[in-house]
Amino acid sequence: MCGILLVKSQSTIPLDKHLSAVELLQRRGPDLTRYQYSNNTFVAQTVLHVTGTDNFYHKTNKDFFAYNGEIYDYRWFGRIDNDVELAYSTAKTRPSKFRYFDGPWAWCYVDGDQVSYATDPQGERLLYQYQDADILIVCSEVAPILEYIHAKPNIVPYQNKCWTMISQTPWKGITRCEPGRLYRNGQPAEQIDSIWSWIVPTATRTEQEILDEFEQCWQRACDITKVTIPATLSYSGGIDSNLILNHVPDLNLVSINTLGKDQITNSLAQFLKPAELERLTSIPVDTEAWAHEYQQLIKQTRMPAQTWSYVGKWLVAKNTKTKVIYTGLAADELFGGYELYKNLQYTTQGSTSPYSSDDHEGIWSQCMDAYQGDARQATLLMDYWYQVVGVDAPGLDRLGGAWGRETRNPFMTKTMMTFALNLPWEYKVNTVTKPLLRKHFCRRWQSDLMLPKEGFAGHANDALPWLDIDFTPTGNRHSDWQHIAQQTFYEYTKH
């Protein structure tokens, strides 16, 4: 990950204060820090260099471009050294062209007293914003913003299965920029791109045509996300991470063994070839260690653990020795992976999925319109917005950034998302979940190796004795976790 910080103020702020805030972003971009300060506008980037040359960062321009992301297919758009050159010229001259790029991105462009910024439509990369009469702050993280303001806690209700926040944050006045929206001088401007526009009526296809199209899309998604430097796969032994393993060779593997919770991690050898097994690192996590890491991630990021699985993702990033981590993020929501989808009572009145039943952003009608009244497809789209955009993607961005790692998510490439969003229902949920991905899995592995994961809950409730809060469990584990997650965040971030 790279880090972006923009501060535009009416009053003069000492440079040392800006640089102190930038220090909080240096873990995201440990390779280089660059900045410009002129006429009360400060803009900085901390760089994690992954793709192409780094020539761009050593040029001196009148304007300034701060960037966090990857345009995977940048070579298709001309003879350029790296994707940063393409992103810079596009942000400078015609931001609407970002809709043609495949990959995650967030950027900020400053030219004199004019500033513009935007994030990708799928919600992979983030920018947070604070604005009042004196100051505009835009940043990849919340923690640097808190260096400038005395923000009070914003009590965000915890209603869905995970603590979902799409536009909100638990800090008053700090919001998340809308995915795919261009902002100019602190105000929302035109929509660059939107995943709503990726859903289009398609002609009826045969099963073989769908299988062939999936094969082509998946191969392309894996090809364009490949890197020329060593990389790691967050490996669970499940369908999604195994599909990545089978198409992106030579990845290092890191697995989290939540002791006593997840039996599949003790059986990973049966999935792996000898050379793959040699590249596997398994991280055992007991209850006390889980509690320690949980506290550390909240205190460092100044944001909550919106799901118990954040600790595992934090530990994968912490124990990875490469700059890039591959994950299977969004496969379940896009391809119908949750078992509950088979028996859910779908209704046109709203989502009945526990991941998105509380529609605090009011997007159900848009989801229904996108799928012409099909409540089943609309429910999965709601789960994408609330679970992926509102929980998992920002979590990976923060937790990977905390350790200087860039996450790559092949299922979230525009290629794969467009395919999945337009996939007929019976290829998402049938007699089994993720039937299409299961077929692909069985090309290498036996079907009896599709084992249920059990460790995603980590040691959430069981870690309570080590979390340093005063709370008495009621016996309702989900309700208890909701209270634990909220109480720990607001207590750990008091000062």
Side-chain angles (χ1 to χ4, degrees):
M1 302 293 181
C2 295
I4 297 170
L5 174 62
L6 164 71
V7 183
K8 185 176 182 181
S9 59
Q10 297 295 321
S11 56
T12 300
I13 297 174
L15 177 60
D16 286 348
K17 185 174 183 67
H18 290 309
L19 296 180
S20 177
V22 172
E23 285 183 8
L24 298 177
L25 290 175
Q26 285 181 336
R27 294 180 68 135
R28 293 180 66 94
D31 295 336
L32 175 71
T33 297
R34 50 194 291 269
Y35 67 88
Q36 181 186 88
Y37 191 21
S38 178
N39 297 323
N40 289 341
T41 298
F42 177 85
V43 59
Q45 178 186 10
T46 59
V47 179
L48 178 70
H49 182 63
V50 173
T51 301
T53 69
D54 63 354
N55 295 338
F56 177 84
Y57 302 120
H58 301 288
K59 297 177 182 178
T60 301
N61 298 316
K62 177 185 173 182
D63 54 6
F64 193 97
F65 182 65
Y67 178 61
N68 174 32
E70 297 289 342
I71 299 173
Y72 296 134
D73 53 353
Y74 73 91
R75 292 183 181 87
W76 298 4
F77 294 90
R79 300 181 63 182
I80 45 182
D81 291 334
N82 54 56
D83 67 318
V84 185
E85 298 278 3
L86 176 61
Y88 165 62
S89 63
T90 303
K92 180 178 181 178
T93 60
R94 192 179 170 190
S96 61
K97 288 178 62 178
F98 271 93
R99 69 168 60 109
Y100 302 116
F101 304 152
D102 200 338
W105 44 263
W107 54 265
C108 176
Y109 176 70
V110 177
D111 187 9
D113 63 351
Q114 299 298 305
V115 301
S116 57
Y117 46 95
T119 60
D120 62 64
Q122 69 271 20
E124 276 186 274
R125 298 293 182 261
L126 291 81
L127 288 173
Y128 295 98
Q129 174 175 294
Y130 173 85
Q131 187 171 200
D132 61 27
D134 180 64
I135 195 169
L136 166 68
I137 313 171
V138 178
C139 192
S140 302
E141 299 271 3
V142 164
I145 299 177
L146 297 174
E147 292 293 293
Y148 296 91
I149 63 173
H150 298 289
K152 296 181 179 179
N154 178 35
I155 305 303
V156 178
Y158 189 153
Q159 300 293 342
N160 290 316
K161 185 168 185 177
C162 298
W163 197 358
T164 52
M165 302 178 204
I166 297 178
S167 61
Q168 300 169 296
T169 76
W171 297 100
K172 287 185 178 179
I174 301 177
T175 58
R176 176 179 170 182
C177 293
E178 179 187 346
R181 173 75 63 184
L182 178 68
Y183 290 74
R184 297 185 188 276
N185 301 313
Q187 300 302 314
E190 63 266 30
Q191 190 83 37
I192 294 176
D193 198 2
S194 168
I195 66 168
W196 305 105
S197 67
W198 299 358
I199 305 170
V200 294
T202 56
T204 302
R205 295 164 287 173
T206 65
E207 180 176 355
Q208 189 58 51
E209 287 172 335
I210 289 174
L211 291 171
D212 290 344
E213 186 178 351
F214 172 80
E215 176 67 32
Q216 294 170 5
C217 290
W218 181 239
Q219 188 63 58
R220 181 180 186 275
C222 292
D223 286 345
I224 64 176
T225 56
K226 285 178 184 176
V227 292
T228 56
I229 60 175
T232 297
L233 171 63
S234 178
Y235 186 65
S236 67
I239 294 175
D240 315 325
S241 59
N242 273 317
L243 290 188
I244 297 172
L245 172 66
N246 202 37
H247 280 75
V248 184
D250 303 323
L251 292 173
N252 297 307
L253 310 177
V254 174
S255 176
I256 301 300
N257 183 1
T258 310
L259 297 175
K261 290 281 186 175
D262 193 346
Q263 301 308 309
I264 192 172
T265 54
N266 297 318
S267 307
L268 294 180
Q270 60 188 317
F271 296 94
L272 303 174
K273 299 173 183 177
E276 294 168 339
L277 190 58
E278 289 181 4
R279 299 195 299 272
L280 173 66
T281 299
S282 181
I283 310 298
V285 186
D286 63 20
T287 311
E288 188 172 355
W290 192 96
H292 172 74
E293 300 296 341
Y294 175 86
Q295 293 183 61
Q296 291 303 306
L297 76 87
I298 292 176
K299 291 174 182 178
Q300 182 170 316
T301 65
R302 310 288 289 175
M303 287 289 280
Q306 295 174 248
T307 171
W308 41 88
S309 66
Y310 270 23
V311 175
K313 295 168 184 174
W314 166 270
L315 284 167
V316 168
K318 181 179 180 179
N319 289 278
T320 293
K321 296 180 174 60
T322 63
K323 288 184 176 182
V324 175
I325 302 175
Y326 283 80
T327 87
L329 179 61
D332 286 324
E333 293 79 7
L334 292 170
F335 286 92
Y338 297 126
E339 281 294 316
L340 61 89
Y341 289 149
K342 291 192 298 182
N343 301 311
L344 205 62
Q345 298 299 308
Y346 298 97
T347 170
T348 59
Q349 301 305 306
S351 171
T352 51
S353 167
Y355 295 97
S356 61
S357 57
D358 183 71
D359 184 18
H360 50 78
E361 296 283 336
I363 59 174
W364 173 252
S365 61
Q366 283 181 275
C367 293
M368 285 289 286
D369 289 345
Y371 283 112
Q372 301 176 338
D374 188 334
R376 302 167 304 174
Q377 294 273 29
T379 299
L380 267 63
L381 184 55
M382 284 278 285
D383 278 3
Y384 177 85
W385 273 108
Y386 280 101
Q387 183 62 29
V388 177
V389 179
V391 177
D392 292 332
L396 282 180
D397 184 84
R398 286 198 295 274
L399 304 176
W403 298 101
R405 315 297 182 218
E406 175 188 294
T407 53
R408 295 200 171 198
N409 312 303
F411 288 102
M412 290 186 73
T413 59
K414 189 171 185 177
T415 298
M416 283 306 296
M417 285 193 61
T418 302
F419 172 79
L421 290 170
N422 293 287
L423 192 64
W425 177 255
E426 60 269 25
Y427 294 98
K428 295 182 180 180
V429 182
N430 209 304
T431 55
V432 294
T433 57
K434 285 195 285 200
L436 197 58
L437 301 192
R438 287 171 180 264
K439 284 180 179 287
H440 209 71
F441 176 91
C442 289
R443 292 185 178 184
R444 172 173 166 179
W445 294 276
Q446 298 296 319
S447 60
D448 58 3
L449 289 179
M450 288 186 276
L451 305 174
K453 302 188 194 74
E454 300 169 353
F456 282 164
H459 293 295
N461 297 64
D462 302 329
L464 180 59
W466 293 276
L467 293 180
D468 298 328
I469 59 170
D470 183 15
F471 175 73
T472 302
T474 66
N476 182 325
R477 290 182 68 83
H478 179 60
S479 176
D480 287 349
W481 166 252
Q482 290 177 313
H483 286 283
I484 291 169
Q486 293 178 92
Q487 188 173 338
T488 51
F489 169 71
Y490 290 114
E491 288 198 14
Y492 295 169
T493 56
K494 278 182 180 178
H495 305 292

